Amino acid sequence: MANSKEDFIEGLRGGIPIALGYLSVSFAYGIMAQTGGLDLLSTVLISMTNLTSAGQLAGTQLIFDAASYIEIAVTTFVINLRYMLMSLSLSQKVDENMTVVQRLLVSFGITDEIFAVSSQRKRPPNAIYMFGLILLPYIGWAMGTFLGSAAGYILPESVRSALGIAIYGMFVAIVIPVCKRDKACLFVAIMAGVISCCLKYVPILSNVPQGWAIIICAVVASVAGALIFPIKDAEGESAQ
């Protein structure tokens, strides 16, 4: 029992900085969603059932654009596909006594930051530790969304518009440092941007719906990056 309490507290401590970061980012998302016309309850429910910034942003924008259900589903699936890979990787490191139900619950809360923190733990993460690690970020994400959406009803439109672009600034801040040290990521980012511009401004291509445009950008740029910059295996040969 004592060990379980210590694991939970350790997880809580690891989740504090993540929760603080999520609070500000989800506030910006709440502003954006409210500005687009989503009511407070719907906006908060989206955050409580998704816990993914990029997926929520793309999915919410597609809702505003009256996209089809299949378009929204496929777009968010492609964007959030990395979480499946993170969960598969983490499943090899967690405590072997973790039950299937516990693994399913933990998988819901896997994000980039939670995956990074839990992967660096010296001991295998158990269910209690993971629940503690996920709890505060989950609350921070939902609370920030609530505060942002609620503030959208009070703040003037000029302020709401300014805060609405903050979440895009977060994505830029994430991508630029990686691109500066990794030419493969730089290539993929530039190629995705070029494809996106083509799908936006080239007359024939501009008819592609936004959701499918996101999918095309992500898939084509990623495949091209994998082919041009293959990962080398331990023996120096390209991984197949």
Side-chain angles (χ1 to χ4, degrees), residues 44-99:
V44 174
L45 284 176
I46 288 175
S47 279
M48 293 182 69
T49 55
N50 283 270
L51 196 61
T52 163
S53 55
Q56 285 183 220
L57 182 66
T60 302
Q61 189 60 55
L62 290 175
I63 292 175
F64 296 157
D65 295 337
S68 64
Y69 290 132
I70 185 64
E71 187 177 343
I72 296 174
V74 175
T75 301
T76 53
F77 174 78
V78 171
I79 292 176
N80 295 330
L81 190 60
R82 68 188 188 280
Y83 295 130
M84 295 178 62
L85 302 178
M86 291 179 189
S87 296
L88 287 173
S89 175
L90 191 60
S91 68
Q92 308 303 310
K93 303 176 182 179
V94 297
D95 189 345
E96 59 182 12
N97 294 321
M98 190 180 295
T99 66

